[in-house]
Amino acid sequence: MTDTTASTSVNKGFLGWVERSGNRLPDPVFIFFYLIAILIVISVIAAATGTSAAHPAEIDPETGAARIITAQSLLSADNIRRLWVEMPATFTHFHPLGYVLVVMLGAGVAERAGLFGTAMRAGVRNAPKALLTPLVVLVGMIGNLAADAAYVVLIPLAGIIFHAAGRHPIAGIAAAFAGVSGGFSANLLPGQLDALLFGITEASVETVFGDWTANIAGNWFFIAAMTFIFLPVIWYLTDRVIEPKFGAYDSSKADHEVDDATEDRPLTAGEKKGLKRAGLAALGVIVAWVIFTVGPGTPLIDETANPEARLTPFYQSLVAGFFILFLLSAWAYGAAAGTINNHRVLVKMMAGAMEDLAYYLVLAFAAAHFVAMFAWSNLGLILAVNGADFLQGFDLPAPVLLAAIVLFSGFLNLFVGSASAKWALLAPVLVPMLILLGISPETSTAAYRVGDSATNIITPLMVYLPLILIFCQRWQKDFGLGSLMAMMIPYSIGLLIAGTALIMVWVGLDLPLGPGAGVFTDPAAYGINPTGPAEAN
């Protein structure tokens, strides 16, 4: 990497403070372990002082009043025994674990077979010059289904394509980075992130209110709307704000030639054939799921349930559906493109996808125990009840309340980079608290996603930030981290404003967030005596 110390300064002002503060934080895995230690101390103090709350979902049969829940010490004999005896079950029963592993079995093959990379290249390389920016941004947001592939393929490719079109290559990198990372939660289809976040949401509901099944498509309509709201914001900022500052590109500032891995080469005959076959395979899976839903026997519809719950099997099947869609599409592509020659290669790619999740498994182990121990202490329920009472006292309209959650999530993202780690920290308190106020788990998840997405591109803890910096230095060798931050801050502010406005309007109009997922919920459906559901103003 080129030495940029002389040309850029990253240790002054607010950006320097954010960078230094973020670098002092430990790995998210150890953050959870430290939080567990803090949680133990708090639980001991809370139990000793008799901290309590009235359980909104349980009635004492003798008094007819709400049952009083008291804080439990995590150093009690029962909780110590539970920790050591139930450790395997605590880990394996962590809801996000199964969701993510299943979806990644298919998505990992699609990435390794080259389907995602080829599809992104095909989507942007022949774009008309006038539509180059929006197509790069749109492919970037959709490319989040490909996880890491969007960062390592599309972002450097966007610089090459912009340069070939006579535009500044770093502006292309900025647009792609804003689409991939700033639009992290925006997409036309649910994917891995939905499975991961709703798994945590489900666990957070169940620790307080008992069984509840997450709907992986619970934010589908909302994230699709985010895609079309974020697209013009990034387009305008790229063409009208960012690129004009660079002026004409000076090739003498380039560090070295672009490597062949990101070369803007035409698609081969095999790749074109593979994309066609992948499309047919994806269409076949969609048709199969339609038949399962409306065809003979309707296996994905519970005919015996009440109307609101009839589609529950369909929602529960979507994790498996995306696994099959990604897997068969990748296999069809790979067989035509020559990247999957036999079933042994396919199995090897699936195993490789699991290897990539090694860090996530370690993080999930720590997060699972934090979530479980939080539930054992009863502090989550007590905080939720008291927090709901506190917020209800302010009588905030639901749109304002959700906007506050967006801003808080965006601020926290500057210090804790992992989306799942942050949600695992916030959800055990936030989700039950908002349920008590009549706001659905899907809505709390959507608000979190807006804040988390908008500030991804300016946090020093973003794991791909050094890689993006290298991509920029290929075109301008003195481009430093401070330059990258300054370039991306307008995008972050624009996306935060647009996302906050979107969630406020969405909640205010009480629009469905996804199939079967509304903004508001009836606390009584969770066995709760309502404390006063929020009203949309």
Side-chain angles (χ1 to χ4, degrees):
M1 183 185 297
T2 303
D3 184 7
T4 60
T5 304
S7 59
T8 59
S9 176
V10 297
N11 294 318
K12 296 179 180 179
F14 176 74
L15 290 178
W17 174 78
V18 170
E19 182 182 11
R20 291 191 299 273
S21 300
N23 288 338
R24 292 193 188 103
L25 289 174
D27 187 280
V29 173
F30 267 80
I31 289 178
F32 275 110
F33 287 141
Y34 294 147
L35 287 174
I36 287 174
I38 295 172
L39 179 63
I40 291 173
V41 173
I42 294 175
S43 72
V44 171
I45 296 174
T49 56
T51 303
S52 64
H55 196 303
E58 296 184 6
I59 302 297
D60 188 329
E62 296 182 359
T63 63
R67 187 168 67 88
I68 301 300
I69 299 299
T70 58
Q72 300 296 308
S73 169
L74 291 174
L75 293 183
S76 67
D78 287 344
N79 280 328
I80 291 175
R81 179 169 58 249
R82 178 185 288 182
L83 172 64
W84 303 129
V85 173
E86 297 183 8
M87 183 170 286
T90 300
F91 179 38
T92 58
H93 291 179
F94 189 49
H95 287 286
L97 191 61
Y99 291 171
V100 173
L101 291 178
V102 170
V103 173
M104 275 303 296
L105 274 174
V109 174
E111 182 178 354
R112 282 168 171 71
L115 172 59
F116 287 146
T118 301
M120 284 186 285
R121 283 173 44 225
V124 299
R125 71 176 309 274
N126 294 320
K129 186 175 180 180
L131 298 178
L132 185 56
T133 300
L135 284 177
V136 164
V137 174
L138 180 62
V139 172
M141 288 190 282
I142 296 175
N144 280 311
L145 293 171
D148 295 350
Y151 285 96
V152 301
V153 174
L154 178 65
I155 294 177
L157 181 62
I160 297 169
I161 295 173
F162 265 56
H163 181 245
R167 301 180 59 180
H168 202 291
I170 295 182
I173 291 174
F177 186 30
V180 172
S181 193
F184 183 62
S185 284
N187 218 307
L188 298 181
L189 290 171
Q192 304 166 49
L193 182 63
D194 295 82
L196 189 153
L197 295 182
F198 273 108
I200 297 173
T201 301
E202 179 174 299
S204 301
V205 176
E206 290 189 341
T207 55
V208 176
F209 303 120
D211 290 343
W212 182 78
T213 300
N215 172 9
I216 191 177
N219 282 167
W220 190 345
F221 302 159
F222 183 78
I223 63 175
M226 282 178 66
T227 304
F228 294 105
I229 294 297
F230 283 1
L231 179 59
V233 172
I234 299 175
W235 185 1
Y236 174 82
L237 289 172
T238 300
D239 290 1
R240 301 295 184 182
V241 177
I242 302 301
E243 190 170 12
K245 291 182 179 179
F246 286 112
Y249 176 62
D250 182 0
S251 60
S252 65
K253 295 182 178 181
D255 191 9
H256 53 74
E257 295 296 326
V258 179
D259 57 84
D260 293 337
T262 57
E263 184 181 357
D264 181 26
R265 58 179 176 81
L267 299 184
T268 65
E271 289 172 336
K272 292 179 180 178
K273 184 178 180 181
L275 287 178
K276 292 178 181 178
R277 290 191 177 182
L280 292 174
L283 181 61
V285 174
I286 294 171
V287 171
W289 245 251
V290 171
I291 293 174
F292 292 150
T293 305
V294 301
T298 59
L300 295 183
I301 293 182
D302 186 355
E303 301 286 359
T304 64
N306 59 53
E308 293 78 10
R310 290 181 65 196
L311 286 175
T312 296
F314 170 76
Y315 300 143
Q316 293 174 327
S317 75
L318 288 177
V319 173
F322 281 109
F323 159 63
I324 298 296
L325 186 146
F326 287 137
L327 182 66
L328 294 186
S329 298
W331 198 350
Y333 170 85
T339 55
I340 301 180
N341 298 320
N342 54 59
H343 71 277
R344 290 182 175 84
V345 174
L346 179 71
V347 173
K348 185 177 181 180
M349 288 181 176
M350 295 176 75
M354 293 299 97
E355 291 175 5
D356 289 346
L357 289 175
Y359 175 78
Y360 174 75
L361 293 176
V362 178
L363 178 64
F365 177 82
H369 281 83
F370 173 78
V371 171
M373 295 175 74
F374 202 62
W376 300 343
S377 69
N378 286 336
L379 291 176
L381 175 61
I382 293 171
L383 286 172
V385 172
N386 292 333
D389 290 341
F390 177 77
L391 290 176
Q392 192 178 14
F394 285 100
D395 196 24
L396 293 175
V400 177
L401 177 60
L402 271 298
I405 292 172
V406 168
L407 297 177
F408 178 71
S409 300
F411 177 74
L412 186 62
N413 193 35
L414 296 173
F415 306 97
V416 182
S418 168
S420 59
K422 286 193 301 296
W423 191 227
L425 293 174
L426 295 175
V429 173
L430 194 62
V431 174
M433 182 180 71
L434 292 181
I435 287 175
L436 293 174
L437 293 174
I439 297 175
S440 72
E442 291 86 358
T443 306
S444 56
T445 306
Y448 165 75
R449 296 175 73 163
V450 172
D452 173 68
S453 183
T455 54
N456 266 334
I457 49 181
I458 61 170
T459 170
L461 298 182
M462 203 275 171
V463 294
Y464 285 103
L465 202 66
L467 182 64
I468 307 304
L469 184 60
I470 292 174
F471 292 154
C472 292
Q473 289 174 349
R474 288 175 177 173
W475 301 100
Q476 184 175 324
K477 55 188 175 183
D478 64 348
F479 200 86
L481 182 60
S483 303
L484 179 59
M485 288 287 191
M487 180 175 70
M488 301 312 297
I489 281 177
Y491 290 109
S492 184
I493 295 173
L495 294 177
L496 192 62
I497 293 172
T500 303
L502 177 63
I503 192 73
M504 293 181 71
V505 171
W506 204 283
V507 172
L509 297 177
D510 192 12
L511 301 174
L513 292 155
V519 168
F520 299 101
T521 188
D522 183 1
Y526 301 82
I528 301 168
N529 294 323
T531 59
E535 296 290 335
N537 290 336

